[in-house]
Amino acid sequence: MTWAAFAAVTLVAGCSSLNSALQSDRVDYKSAETGPSLAVPPDLSSLAATPAAPIGGATSLSSYEKKEKVVAAQPKVQVLPEVPGMKVVRDGNERWLVVHQAPGDLWPTLRQFWQEQGFVLTLDSPDTGVMETGWEENRAKIPQDFIRNLLGKVIDGLYSTGVRDRFRTRVERGPDGTTDVFITHSRMVEVYTNSQKDTTKWEPAPSDPGLEAIFLTKLMQRLGATAEAAKSEVQAAAPAAPATRVINAADKTYLDINEPYDRAWVRVGVALDRANFTVTSSDRQKGLYQVRYVDPAALHKDNGFFYSLFHSKQIQQSKEPRQYNVNVRGESNDQTRVYVLDPNGNIDTSEIAKNIIGVLSAQLQ
């Protein structure tokens, strides 16, 4: 199954469980590490050296997290601030929050919100409008059986769900002094690498739109809404699904979106987040997202013993993330086109570029 088809199936399944997720919104993410509060956001130059996720190869998640974490959570109890107004907007499969507050004023509240939820922030960049948590476990998913309830926290660390979640918050400046807030979810699952079940590795898994909706409602509560009002707002957001289609021309492959440029630009950014691309920079005026991407075919390709023996360096290089430019172009008032560009700024016609377009198309359905 291709990544595009895999993502499409995931989105259909996720949407059907949204209401049930909001009804049973038990989440418990508590980082095991603590440390000083983040005073200054990390230098963006460090972003390029950080892998998007521990994909491929048997590696421990704990070692990955230790290298990744740059700030620890220190929950603070504060009175909920008053907000002039907010609403949930839905476009296709995306829901986001529109807050009547400037991005710079809202940013400290977003930081506190994720820390209060028990997360460590690994990326805190007001300049790019992106905030990202570390990979954490939802302890609420661990069965509360008799033995665990009896022994309590004494053996709590011995229990594991084999699932880790990460959340990315993207902030975009809206019209009339408003701010658009997007929350996207990524997931990794621990799987056995052999029949003996003595070694494991972490692999990417489908995102959960239900969790995105849960944290969107929790953020609304943090901004002053009641729990019931927040849930009702998220559930009642009216869908508006503009048509998207992949165009396979003789010399190029691109994505057509029947939406104005401003809306399409935001939706493409959210799709990149949800599809586990690492966005290293973005320029809205030029319509460019610079992303890091690993070809799934290279990760899972069986090169054979002798080829691997003499070409280990080339194989390793093929599994490393590469830079690509996703170009969003406004073609008319209600149509936008998306291309993948090569390092020279030309339209990329490779199979990897076609794969990227396919993944984006599946996320935007």
Side-chain angles (χ1 to χ4, degrees):
M1 179 182 291
T2 65
W3 277 95
F6 179 70
V9 173
T10 300
L11 289 174
V12 173
C15 291
S16 63
S17 61
L18 175 63
N19 290 341
S20 60
L22 288 175
Q23 293 300 322
S24 56
D25 58 354
R26 291 179 62 248
V27 290
D28 180 18
Y29 295 94
K30 299 298 180 184
S31 173
E33 297 188 14
T34 57
S37 297
L38 182 66
V40 180
D43 193 309
L44 291 181
S45 62
S46 64
L47 181 62
T50 305
I55 301 175
T59 182
S60 67
L61 186 70
S62 59
S63 62
Y64 172 78
E65 289 176 332
K66 287 179 180 178
K67 290 187 294 183
E68 187 183 49
K69 291 177 179 176
V70 297
V71 58
Q74 287 189 343
K76 299 178 181 178
V77 178
Q78 295 185 348
V79 178
L80 294 179
E82 291 294 328
V83 177
M86 53 186 155
K87 64 177 180 179
V88 176
V89 178
R90 180 178 175 185
D91 193 349
N93 288 302
E94 285 86 42
R95 287 176 173 81
W96 67 92
L97 185 62
V98 178
V99 182
H100 290 270
Q101 200 171 14
D105 297 333
L106 183 61
W107 194 264
T109 303
L110 293 175
R111 179 189 294 135
Q112 293 171 6
F113 167 74
W114 287 113
Q115 291 177 343
E116 290 165 357
Q117 300 303 314
F119 286 95
V120 168
L121 295 178
T122 63
L123 179 62
D124 186 337
S125 177
D127 292 338
T128 59
V130 177
M131 186 179 294
E132 191 171 86
T133 72
W135 295 94
E136 302 293 351
E137 181 179 37
N138 184 4
R139 306 295 290 178
K141 295 296 184 181
I142 297 177
Q144 301 295 317
D145 55 29
F146 172 76
I147 295 178
R148 186 168 186 269
N149 289 333
L150 180 66
L151 298 179
K153 294 184 178 180
V154 176
I155 61 170
D156 187 67
L158 298 178
Y159 286 82
S160 176
T161 61
V163 178
R164 299 294 185 271
D165 298 312
R166 181 182 69 184
F167 295 89
R168 183 177 296 170
T169 306
R170 179 177 295 277
V171 170
E172 295 278 352
R173 187 181 300 275
D176 303 323
T178 61
T179 299
D180 297 339
V181 182
F182 303 82
I183 295 177
T184 53
H185 167 251
S186 300
R187 172 164 287 171
M188 301 289 287
V189 295
E190 190 175 20
V191 298
Y192 290 108
T193 59
N194 55 36
S195 58
Q196 290 76 27
K197 296 185 177 182
D198 54 5
T199 59
T200 63
K201 67 177 181 180
W202 292 89
E203 292 186 346
S207 61
D208 186 347
L211 277 176
E212 295 173 354
I214 286 174
F215 279 102
L216 204 60
T217 61
K218 288 181 176 295
L219 177 58
M220 293 183 69
Q221 294 175 57
R222 179 63 175 80
L223 294 172
T226 65
E228 289 304 316
K231 289 182 180 180
S232 298
E233 182 76 11
V234 171
Q235 290 175 324
T244 62
R245 59 176 182 153
V246 176
I247 308 297
N248 290 300
D251 57 341
K252 56 191 172 184
T253 298
Y254 56 89
L255 182 65
D256 265 347
I257 306 174
N258 292 343
E259 272 193 311
Y261 172 81
D262 287 341
R263 180 60 59 81
W265 165 263
V266 171
R267 292 192 66 213
V268 169
V270 174
L272 289 169
D273 288 342
R274 185 174 282 124
N276 273 333
F277 289 86
T278 299
V279 179
T280 57
S281 67
S282 61
D283 189 328
R284 187 165 185 160
Q285 289 186 335
K286 295 181 179 179
L288 288 176
Y289 286 104
Q290 189 175 69
V291 303
R292 291 206 315 271
Y293 178 75
V294 180
D295 182 14
L299 285 177
H300 300 94
K301 183 179 180 180
D302 184 5
N303 295 287
F305 174 76
F306 288 105
Y307 186 88
S308 301
L309 183 63
F310 295 103
H311 300 85
S312 59
K313 184 176 181 180
Q314 294 93 318
I315 293 174
Q316 183 59 37
Q317 288 176 344
S318 70
K319 295 182 179 181
E320 294 177 353
R322 296 185 181 181
Q323 293 286 153
Y324 294 90
N325 290 318
V326 176
N327 184 206
V328 184
R329 304 180 184 179
E331 297 293 316
S332 63
N333 291 336
D334 57 359
Q335 186 178 41
T336 305
R337 192 160 287 176
V338 181
Y339 297 92
V340 177
L341 306 183
D342 63 23
N344 296 320
N346 301 316
I347 296 176
D348 195 329
T349 58
S350 67
E351 287 300 318
I352 295 180
K354 294 179 181 179
N355 192 23
I356 293 174
I357 291 295
V359 171
L360 289 177
S361 175
Q363 294 291 343
L364 290 169
Q365 295 301 322

